[in-house]
Structure formats: C-alpha cells, structure tokens
C-alpha cells in the first residue's frame, strides 16, 4: 500500500543546532502537509506544499517538496526549546482525499 | 471561530464495554476525520465523513464505527473494547472546497484507557 516514511524517528539536539526531518513517499504525492504536535497536545498544521521543487520558509523553518513530488524535508535553523515536539508529514496521492501520514520525528532540544 | 471540540476529554472503560466519542468541527467545516494515536504508531486513520457520508475508511476492524449528523458533528463508537484500544482519539475537521486539499484542524483528543 501507499506509505510515507519519515526519518529520523527521534532526534536530540543542543539548543542552537540545526535539525532536519525527511519524508519519503512510495508514490507520487499531490501535496505535502507538515504538522507539529507539542508534548501533550494535538497536531497543528504548519504548511502545505503543492508544486514540484517548491520551497517555503517560516522564520527559522524551511520546507521543501522534491522535484518528483515523492519526498519532502523540514529544516529548522538554530533550534530553540520551543521547537520541541513531534513533526509529522502527510500527503495526498492523486485525487484521494485520504491523507497518508508519516510516523513523525520527535525532536528534543537540550537548553 | 471556535476550534474543534471533543468530548469527553478522558475516559476509562473496562474490556468488553463500548464507548462513544463526540466531535464538533469548526463552523462551516463539513469534513470530519478520526484518528487513533498510540506511542510509536503515529496517527492511524480511522475514517472520514463528509456531508453525513463515510468517504474514506482506514484498516480498523468493524468494532470501530462512526457517523456524522446534519450539523456536521460526528461520533465514533467502539464496541467490545480491548486493552489495545487504549489510545488518544483525535478528530480533525477540514473545509473542503472543490479539488483543493485543505489543512486539517485537530481537536484536543479523547484519552481512552481500557482496563
């Protein structure tokens, strides 16, 4: 079946270090969405990318969608303790409205 | 606008019982999706309802069912509870317009513990 693999599963960084999580799909995606879930909270939408090769920035966060629309990445520059949480990617394949979710990357930031 | 609300927030049940969880989407959102979240398993999709019709379904046994009412509020029911059903159940609503893919807005979840 359609799968989205997300790596790494866990990442510990020192505050100020950079962080990247990667999403790889077994099938071409129509779009990719990124969500953040703080400990004890619920997923919150961050951004959506729809175009091949698209790059979007939100302050210290940079999101990329691969040329083949099968992979994506989220890069955080100079992490802060407020970045702690689990980052999920999710995408739609074709016209199917069912989102395919990655298992998430849990980020811990040591102050 | 008020966010997605879920009730109850916490629930403790025993094996064999059944449970009903409720979700009220953001006003104007007609799509409601349900997810099960357990540690290490990410978000497991249960089903999606749109305009009172189940539009998508995940790979869960028939013990898991849902419905949506004309005001877009949704309920999910789990019958004959098993220990493995202990999880955080999340509801997400979305505004569907045309063929665009819109973000999902999640509720705070219902933490279900099965003893």
């Amino acid at each position: 079946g359609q799968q989205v693999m997300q790596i790494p599963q866990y990442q510990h960084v020192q505050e100020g270090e950079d962080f990247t999580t990667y999403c790889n799909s077994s099938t071409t995606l129509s779009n990719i969405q990124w969500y953040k879930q703080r400990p004890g909270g619920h997923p919150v939408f961050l951004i959506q990318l729809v175009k091949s090769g698209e790059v979007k920035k939100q302050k210290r966060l940079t999101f990329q969608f691969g040329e083949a629309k099968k992979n994506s990445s989220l890069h955080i520059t100079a992490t802060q303790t407020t970045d702690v949480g689990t980052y999920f990617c999710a995408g739609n394949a074709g016209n199917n409205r069912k989102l395919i979710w990655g298992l998430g990357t849990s980020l811990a930031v040591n102050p | 606008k008020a966010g997605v609300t879920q009730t109850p927030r916490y629930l403790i049940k025993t094996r064999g019982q059944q449970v009903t969880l409720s979700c009220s989407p953001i006003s104007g959102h007609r799509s409601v999706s349900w997810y099960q979240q357990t540690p290490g398993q990410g978000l497991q999709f249960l089903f999606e309802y749109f305009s009172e019709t189940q539009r998508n379904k995940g790979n869960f046994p028939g013990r898991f069912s849902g419905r949506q009412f004309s005001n877009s509020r949704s309920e999910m029911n789990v019958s004959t509870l098993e220990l493995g059903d202990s999880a955080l159940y999340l509801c997400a609503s979305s505004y569907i317009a045309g063929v665009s893919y819109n973000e999902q807005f999640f509720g705070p979840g219902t933490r279900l513990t099965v003893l």
Side-chain angles (χ1 to χ4, degrees):
Chain A
Q2 297 161 340
Q3 291 186 340
V4 172
M5 306 300 293
Q6 201 172 344
I7 56 170
Q9 189 175 1
Y10 302 99
Q11 183 88 57
H12 285 81
V13 298
Q14 285 295 129
E15 190 172 22
E17 291 181 338
D18 291 357
F19 159 77
T20 304
T21 173
Y22 300 90
C23 233
N24 295 295
S25 171
S26 60
T27 188
T28 302
L29 300 172
S30 301
N31 61 325
I32 193 85
Q33 298 179 351
W34 285 91
Y35 293 79
K36 176 184 178 181
Q37 184 174 21
R38 294 181 185 273
H42 56 273
V44 174
F45 174 80
L46 293 175
I47 207 161
Q48 175 169 258
L49 306 173
V50 295
K51 297 177 183 176
S52 170
E54 189 170 12
V55 178
K56 286 188 177 181
K57 292 190 175 184
Q58 288 180 349
K59 297 182 180 178
R60 295 177 294 104
L61 277 61
T62 302
F63 304 84
Q64 292 187 320
F65 199 10
E67 293 290 341
K69 300 182 79 173
K70 283 190 171 184
N71 53 68
S72 181
S73 65
L74 158 58
H75 179 82
I76 302 178
T77 303
T79 55
Q80 300 175 358
T81 54
T82 53
D83 295 325
V84 166
T86 301
Y87 293 85
F88 293 96
C89 64
N92 295 93
N95 293 324
N96 194 330
R97 290 200 176 276
K98 177 181 167 183
L99 273 173
I100 310 166
W101 289 81
L103 291 181
T105 295
S106 292
L107 173 64
V109 179
N110 298 325
Chain B
K1 282 185 180 177
V4 178
T5 58
Q6 291 187 247
T7 57
R9 293 292 311 278
Y10 303 92
L11 207 48
I12 299 176
K13 292 284 189 179
T14 56
R15 280 181 300 174
Q17 288 187 308
Q18 75 164 17
V19 67
T20 298
L21 312 181
S22 180
C23 171
S24 291
I26 292 173
S27 177
H29 287 193
R30 291 195 291 161
S31 169
V32 174
S33 297
W34 287 90
Y35 295 88
Q36 181 195 66
Q37 187 174 38
T38 52
Q41 293 299 312
L43 291 159
Q44 300 295 312
F45 174 76
L46 282 154
F47 26 66
E48 180 204 3
Y49 285 87
F50 180 76
S51 292
E52 302 178 65
T53 301
Q54 188 181 88
R55 192 160 63 172
N56 276 302
K57 190 176 187 303
N59 299 320
F60 278 80
R63 300 186 296 108
F64 293 82
S65 62
R67 58 177 175 169
Q68 187 180 33
F69 302 95
S70 57
N71 62 357
S72 294
R73 189 177 71 85
S74 178
E75 290 181 345
M76 69 162 278
N77 183 276
V78 188
S79 62
T80 320
L81 284 167
E82 300 177 0
L83 294 179
D85 297 333
S86 294
L88 179 67
Y89 289 88
L90 291 160
C91 160
S93 78
S94 182
Y95 176 77
I96 303 294
V99 296
S100 63
Y101 297 102
N102 298 89
E103 66 265 35
Q104 297 200 331
F105 294 83
F106 284 82
T110 294
R111 174 75 61 185
L112 172 65
T113 301
V114 182
L115 302 175

Coordinates of all heavy atoms in Angstrom, one line a residue, chain A residues 9-10 30-31 33 35 37 40-45 48 50 88 92-99 101-104, chain B residues 35 37 40-45 48 55-59 88 90 96-104 106-108:
Chain A
Q9 N 13.4 8.9 13.4 CA 12.3 8.7 14.3 C 12.4 9.7 15.5 O 11.4 10.2 16.0 CB 12.2 7.3 14.8 CG 10.9 7.0 15.5 CD 10.7 5.5 15.9 OE1 11.6 4.7 15.6 NE2 9.6 5.1 16.5
Y10 N 13.7 9.8 16.0 CA 13.9 10.7 17.1 C 15.2 11.5 16.8 O 16.1 11.0 16.1 CB 14.2 9.8 18.4 CG 13.1 8.9 18.8 CD1 13.1 7.6 18.5 CD2 12.0 9.4 19.5 CE1 12.1 6.7 18.9 CE2 11.0 8.6 19.9 CZ 11.0 7.2 19.6 OH 10.0 6.4 20.0
S30 N 0.3 14.5 -4.5 CA -0.3 15.7 -5.0 C 0.1 16.9 -4.2 O 0.2 18.0 -4.7 CB -1.8 15.6 -5.0 OG -2.3 14.5 -5.7
N31 N 0.4 16.7 -2.9 CA 0.7 17.8 -2.0 C 1.4 17.2 -0.8 O 1.4 15.9 -0.6 CB -0.5 18.5 -1.5 CG -1.5 17.6 -0.7 OD1 -1.6 16.4 -1.1 ND2 -2.1 18.1 0.3
Q33 N 1.8 18.1 3.5 CA 1.5 18.9 4.6 C 2.4 18.6 5.8 O 2.8 17.4 5.9 CB 0.0 18.8 5.0 CG -1.0 19.1 3.9 CD -2.4 18.9 4.4 OE1 -2.7 18.4 5.4 NE2 -3.4 19.4 3.6
Y35 N 2.8 19.0 10.0 CA 2.2 19.4 11.3 C 3.1 19.2 12.4 O 4.1 18.5 12.4 CB 1.0 18.4 11.5 CG -0.2 18.5 10.6 CD1 -0.1 17.9 9.3 CD2 -1.3 19.2 10.9 CE1 -1.2 18.0 8.4 CE2 -2.4 19.3 10.1 CZ -2.3 18.7 8.8 OH -3.4 18.8 7.9
Q37 N 3.2 18.6 16.7 CA 2.5 18.2 17.9 C 3.4 18.4 19.1 O 4.4 17.7 19.2 CB 2.0 16.8 17.8 CG 1.1 16.3 18.9 CD 0.5 14.9 18.7 OE1 1.1 14.1 18.0 NE2 -0.6 14.6 19.4
G40 N 1.8 16.4 24.8 CA 0.6 16.5 25.5 C -0.5 17.3 24.7 O -1.6 17.5 25.1
G41 N -0.1 17.7 23.5 CA -1.0 18.5 22.6 C -1.5 17.7 21.4 O -1.4 16.5 21.4
H42 N -2.1 18.4 20.5 CA -2.6 17.8 19.3 C -1.9 18.4 18.1 O -1.3 19.4 18.2 CB -4.1 18.1 19.2 CG -4.5 19.5 19.2 ND1 -4.7 20.2 20.4 CD2 -4.7 20.4 18.2 CE1 -5.0 21.5 20.1 NE2 -5.0 21.6 18.8
P43 N -1.9 17.7 17.0 CA -1.2 18.2 15.8 C -1.8 19.5 15.3 O -3.0 19.7 15.3 CB -1.5 17.1 14.7 CG -1.8 15.9 15.5 CD -2.5 16.3 16.7
V44 N -0.8 20.4 15.0 CA -1.2 21.7 14.5 C -0.6 21.9 13.1 O 0.6 21.7 12.9 CB -0.7 22.8 15.4 CG1 -1.0 24.2 14.8 CG2 -1.4 22.7 16.8
F45 N -1.4 22.3 12.1 CA -0.9 22.5 10.8 C 0.1 23.6 10.7 O 0.0 24.7 11.3 CB -2.1 22.9 9.9 CG -1.8 23.2 8.5 CD1 -1.6 22.3 7.6 CD2 -1.7 24.6 8.1 CE1 -1.3 22.6 6.2 CE2 -1.4 24.9 6.8 CZ -1.2 23.9 5.9
Q48 N 1.6 23.8 3.8 CA 1.3 22.8 2.7 C 2.1 23.2 1.5 O 2.2 24.4 1.1 CB -0.2 22.8 2.3 CG -0.5 21.9 1.1 CD -2.0 21.7 0.9 OE1 -2.5 20.6 1.3 NE2 -2.7 22.7 0.4
V50 N 2.6 22.3 -2.7 CA 1.9 21.6 -3.8 C 2.7 21.5 -5.1 O 2.4 20.7 -5.9 CB 0.5 22.2 -4.1 CG1 -0.4 22.0 -2.9 CG2 0.6 23.6 -4.5
F88 N 5.1 15.9 11.9 CA 4.5 14.9 11.0 C 4.4 15.5 9.6 O 4.1 16.6 9.4 CB 3.1 14.5 11.5 CG 3.0 13.8 12.7 CD1 2.8 14.4 13.9 CD2 3.2 12.4 12.8 CE1 2.7 13.7 15.1 CE2 3.0 11.7 13.9 CZ 2.8 12.3 15.1
N92 N -1.4 13.7 0.1 CA -2.5 13.0 -0.7 C -1.9 12.4 -2.0 O -1.1 13.1 -2.6 CB -3.6 14.0 -1.1 CG -4.3 14.6 0.1 OD1 -4.0 15.6 0.6 ND2 -5.3 13.8 0.6
A93 N -2.3 11.2 -2.3 CA -1.9 10.6 -3.5 C -3.0 10.7 -4.6 O -4.1 10.3 -4.3 CB -1.6 9.2 -3.3
G94 N -2.8 11.4 -5.7 CA -3.8 11.5 -6.7 C -4.9 12.4 -6.2 O -4.8 13.3 -5.5
N95 N -6.1 11.9 -6.5 CA -7.3 12.7 -6.1 C -7.9 12.1 -4.8 O -9.0 12.5 -4.4 CB -8.4 12.6 -7.2 CG -8.0 13.4 -8.4 OD1 -7.3 14.4 -8.3 ND2 -8.3 12.9 -9.6
N96 N -7.2 11.2 -4.2 CA -7.7 10.6 -3.0 C -7.6 11.6 -1.8 O -6.5 12.1 -1.6 CB -6.9 9.3 -2.7 CG -7.6 8.5 -1.6 OD1 -8.3 9.0 -0.7 ND2 -7.4 7.2 -1.6
R97 N -8.7 11.9 -1.2 CA -8.6 12.8 -0.1 C -8.1 12.3 1.2 O -8.0 13.0 2.2 CB -10.0 13.4 0.1 CG -10.4 14.3 -1.0 CD -11.5 15.3 -0.6 NE -11.9 16.2 -1.7 CZ -11.2 17.3 -1.9 NH1 -10.2 17.6 -1.2 NH2 -11.6 18.1 -2.9
K98 N -7.8 11.0 1.2 CA -7.3 10.4 2.5 C -5.8 10.7 2.6 O -5.0 10.4 1.7 CB -7.5 8.9 2.4 CG -6.9 8.1 3.5 CD -7.1 6.6 3.3 CE -6.3 5.7 4.3 NZ -6.5 4.3 4.0
L99 N -5.5 11.4 3.7 CA -4.1 11.8 3.9 C -3.3 10.5 4.3 O -3.7 9.7 5.1 CB -4.0 12.8 5.0 CG -4.1 14.3 4.6 CD1 -4.2 15.1 5.9 CD2 -3.0 14.7 3.7
W101 N 0.0 9.5 6.3 CA 0.8 10.1 7.3 C 2.1 9.4 7.5 O 2.2 8.2 7.5 CB 0.0 10.2 8.6 CG -1.1 11.1 8.7 CD1 -2.3 10.9 8.1 CD2 -1.1 12.4 9.2 NE1 -3.1 12.0 8.4 CE2 -2.4 12.9 9.0 CE3 -0.2 13.2 9.9 CZ2 -2.8 14.2 9.5 CZ3 -0.5 14.4 10.4 CH2 -1.8 15.0 10.1
G102 N 3.2 10.2 7.7 CA 4.4 9.6 8.3 C 4.2 9.4 9.7 O 3.3 9.8 10.4
L103 N 5.2 8.6 10.3 CA 5.1 8.3 11.7 C 5.6 9.4 12.6 O 5.5 9.3 13.9 CB 5.8 7.0 12.0 CG 5.2 5.7 11.5 CD1 6.1 4.5 11.9 CD2 3.8 5.5 11.9
G104 N 6.2 10.4 12.0 CA 6.7 11.5 12.8 C 8.1 11.5 13.3 O 8.7 10.4 13.4
Chain B
Y35 N -8.8 9.8 14.0 CA -7.5 9.1 14.1 C -7.3 8.5 15.4 O -7.8 9.0 16.4 CB -6.4 10.1 13.8 CG -6.3 10.8 12.5 CD1 -7.0 11.9 12.2 CD2 -5.6 10.2 11.5 CE1 -7.0 12.5 11.0 CE2 -5.5 10.8 10.2 CZ -6.2 12.0 10.0 OH -6.1 12.5 8.7
Q37 N -4.2 7.5 17.9 CA -2.8 7.8 18.1 C -2.3 7.0 19.4 O -2.8 7.2 20.5 CB -2.5 9.3 18.3 CG -1.0 9.6 18.4 CD -0.7 11.0 18.4 OE1 -1.4 11.8 19.0 NE2 0.4 11.4 17.7
G40 N 4.5 5.7 19.3 CA 5.3 4.9 18.3 C 4.6 4.5 17.1 O 5.2 4.0 16.1
Q41 N 3.2 4.7 17.0 CA 2.4 4.3 15.9 C 1.9 5.5 15.1 O 1.2 5.3 14.1 CB 1.3 3.5 16.3 CG 1.7 2.1 16.9 CD 2.4 1.3 15.9 OE1 2.0 1.1 14.7 NE2 3.5 0.8 16.3
G42 N 2.3 6.7 15.5 CA 1.8 7.8 14.7 C 0.3 8.0 14.7 O -0.3 7.6 15.7
L43 N -0.2 8.6 13.7 CA -1.6 8.8 13.5 C -2.2 7.7 12.6 O -1.9 7.7 11.4 CB -1.9 10.2 13.0 CG -1.6 11.3 13.9 CD1 -1.3 12.6 13.1 CD2 -2.7 11.5 14.9
Q44 N -3.0 6.9 13.1 CA -3.7 5.8 12.3 C -5.1 6.3 12.0 O -5.9 6.6 12.8 CB -3.8 4.5 13.1 CG -2.4 4.0 13.6 CD -1.6 3.6 12.4 OE1 -2.0 2.8 11.5 NE2 -0.3 4.0 12.4
F45 N -5.3 6.4 10.7 CA -6.6 6.9 10.1 C -7.7 5.9 10.3 O -7.6 4.7 10.0 CB -6.4 7.2 8.6 CG -7.6 7.6 7.9 CD1 -8.2 8.9 8.1 CD2 -8.3 6.7 7.1 CE1 -9.3 9.3 7.4 CE2 -9.4 7.1 6.4 CZ -10.0 8.4 6.6
E48 N -13.2 9.0 7.5 CA -13.6 10.4 7.2 C -15.1 10.5 6.8 O -15.5 9.6 6.1 CB -12.7 11.0 6.1 CG -13.1 12.4 5.8 CD -12.7 12.8 4.4 OE1 -12.3 12.0 3.6 OE2 -13.0 14.0 4.1
R55 N -16.6 8.8 3.6 CA -15.9 8.9 2.3 C -14.7 8.1 2.2 O -14.2 7.7 1.2 CB -15.7 10.4 2.1 CG -15.2 10.7 0.7 CD -15.4 12.1 0.3 NE -14.6 13.0 1.1 CZ -14.5 14.3 0.9 NH1 -15.2 14.8 -0.1 NH2 -13.8 15.0 1.7
N56 N -14.0 7.9 3.4 CA -12.8 7.1 3.4 C -12.7 6.3 4.7 O -13.3 6.7 5.7 CB -11.5 8.0 3.4 CG -11.1 8.4 2.0 OD1 -10.9 7.6 1.1 ND2 -11.1 9.7 1.7
K57 N -12.1 5.2 4.6 CA -12.0 4.3 5.8 C -10.6 3.7 5.9 O -10.0 3.4 4.9 CB -13.0 3.1 5.6 CG -13.2 2.3 6.8 CD -14.3 1.3 6.6 CE -14.7 0.5 7.8 NZ -13.6 -0.2 8.5
G58 N -10.1 3.6 7.1 CA -8.8 3.0 7.4 C -9.0 1.5 7.6 O -10.0 0.9 7.4
N59 N -7.9 0.9 8.1 CA -7.8 -0.5 8.2 C -8.1 -0.9 9.7 O -7.2 -1.5 10.3 CB -6.5 -1.1 7.8 CG -6.2 -0.8 6.3 OD1 -7.1 -0.9 5.5 ND2 -5.0 -0.4 6.0
L88 N -5.1 7.8 22.3 CA -5.7 9.1 22.1 C -6.4 9.1 20.8 O -5.9 8.8 19.8 CB -4.5 10.1 22.1 CG -5.0 11.6 21.9 CD1 -5.7 12.1 23.1 CD2 -3.8 12.5 21.7
L90 N -8.2 11.3 18.1 CA -8.2 12.6 17.6 C -9.2 12.8 16.5 O -9.4 12.0 15.6 CB -6.8 13.0 17.1 CG -5.7 13.2 18.1 CD1 -4.4 13.1 17.5 CD2 -5.9 14.5 18.9
I96 N -13.7 21.7 2.9 CA -13.5 21.1 1.6 C -14.1 22.1 0.5 O -15.3 22.4 0.6 CB -14.1 19.7 1.5 CG1 -13.5 18.8 2.5 CG2 -13.9 19.2 0.1 CD1 -12.1 18.5 2.4
A97 N -13.3 22.5 -0.4 CA -13.8 23.3 -1.5 C -13.2 22.9 -2.8 O -12.0 22.9 -3.0 CB -13.4 24.8 -1.2
G98 N -14.0 22.4 -3.7 CA -13.5 22.0 -5.0 C -12.6 20.8 -4.9 O -12.8 19.9 -4.1
V99 N -11.5 20.9 -5.6 CA -10.5 19.8 -5.6 C -9.3 20.2 -4.7 O -8.3 19.4 -4.7 CB -10.0 19.4 -7.0 CG1 -11.2 18.9 -7.8 CG2 -9.4 20.6 -7.7
S100 N -9.3 21.3 -4.0 CA -8.1 21.7 -3.3 C -8.0 20.8 -2.0 O -9.0 20.3 -1.5 CB -8.3 23.2 -2.9 OG -9.4 23.3 -2.0
Y101 N -6.8 20.7 -1.6 CA -6.5 19.9 -0.4 C -6.3 20.9 0.8 O -5.4 21.7 0.7 CB -5.3 19.0 -0.5 CG -5.5 18.0 -1.6 CD1 -4.9 18.2 -2.9 CD2 -6.3 16.9 -1.4 CE1 -5.1 17.2 -3.9 CE2 -6.5 15.9 -2.4 CZ -5.9 16.1 -3.6 OH -6.1 15.2 -4.6
N102 N -7.1 20.9 1.7 CA -7.1 21.8 2.8 C -6.5 21.2 4.1 O -6.6 20.0 4.3 CB -8.4 22.4 3.1 CG -9.0 23.2 1.9 OD1 -9.6 22.6 1.1 ND2 -8.7 24.4 1.8
E103 N -5.9 22.1 4.9 CA -5.3 21.6 6.2 C -6.4 21.0 7.1 O -7.6 21.4 7.0 CB -4.5 22.7 6.9 CG -5.4 23.9 7.4 CD -5.4 25.0 6.4 OE1 -5.4 24.7 5.1 OE2 -5.5 26.1 6.8
Q104 N -6.0 20.2 8.0 CA -6.9 19.6 9.0 C -6.7 20.4 10.3 O -5.5 20.7 10.7 CB -6.6 18.1 9.1 CG -6.9 17.4 7.9 CD -7.1 15.9 8.1 OE1 -6.6 15.3 9.0 NE2 -7.9 15.3 7.2
F106 N -7.2 20.0 14.2 CA -7.4 18.9 15.2 C -8.0 19.4 16.5 O -7.8 20.5 16.9 CB -6.1 18.2 15.5 CG -5.6 17.3 14.4 CD1 -4.9 17.8 13.3 CD2 -5.8 15.9 14.5 CE1 -4.5 16.9 12.3 CE2 -5.4 15.1 13.5 CZ -4.7 15.6 12.4
G107 N -8.8 18.5 17.1 CA -9.3 18.8 18.4 C -8.3 18.3 19.4 O -7.3 17.7 19.1
P108 N -8.6 18.5 20.7 CA -7.6 18.2 21.8 C -7.6 16.7 22.0 O -6.6 16.2 22.6 CB -8.2 18.9 23.0 CG -9.6 19.0 22.7 CD -9.8 19.2 21.3

